[in-house]
Amino acid sequence: MIKLVLRALLSLFYAYAGYAHLVRPEPFLAITPVWVPYPDAVIWWTGLAEIAGAVGLLQPFSRKLRQAAGVGLALYALCVWPANIHHFAMDMASESGGLGLVYHVPRMIAQPVLIWLALWTGEAIGQRPATSP
């Protein structure tokens, strides 16, 4: 039951984040490292990836699709981590100190938790192997 609730919450989180990427990309563009090519397209595609992952994670009919969505969202969270680190460094270097450590440290800690949560709720890890009779 806990896994189902966390799966639903994670799906809502990613669906909203994907929606935000599509309708208001400016904050995401602002934290995108300069070495990322075609940042507008990357932000758009990442929004679609988040929405697709959220839908795949929620569907009840195919465990393989849930697993693929969990792996996809975990890889996505891993791939956007450099943007979060860039935002942390850029923000903390600003004269005002930006959002501060109270925001950035939990966000850095949350990234591996999100990766694990996507894999676990997507049933890509933590499953007991089938036993033969």
Side-chain angles (χ1 to χ4, degrees):
M1 184 59 153
I2 289 175
K3 187 182 283 189
L4 187 60
V5 169
L6 290 174
R7 182 184 301 149
L9 289 173
L10 189 63
S11 293
L12 287 172
F13 168 78
Y14 274 113
Y16 177 75
Y19 169 78
H21 275 77
L22 298 177
V23 300
R24 194 158 155 13
E26 297 82 14
F28 303 102
L29 288 167
I31 67 167
T32 302
V34 296
W35 52 263
V36 173
Y38 309 106
D40 291 319
V42 169
I43 298 302
W44 189 79
W45 282 106
T46 57
L48 290 181
E50 287 173 312
I51 292 168
V55 170
L57 203 57
L58 271 184
Q59 65 72 43
F61 303 110
S62 170
R63 182 170 177 229
K64 287 188 185 274
L65 186 55
R66 277 194 309 277
Q67 288 174 329
V71 169
L73 287 172
L75 289 172
Y76 167 80
L78 182 63
C79 288
V80 299
W81 210 345
N84 295 342
I85 294 168
H86 175 72
H87 182 217
F88 185 173
M90 188 177 68
D91 200 42
M92 294 303 293
S94 71
E95 284 192 31
S96 70
L99 297 169
L101 292 175
V102 172
Y103 171 79
H104 289 291
V105 170
R107 185 176 182 198
M108 290 297 109
I109 293 169
Q111 207 69 18
V113 173
L114 286 173
I115 292 168
W116 173 82
L117 201 54
L119 293 170
W120 184 66
T121 63
E123 301 176 3
I125 61 169
Q127 299 300 306
R128 295 182 186 174
T131 56
S132 304

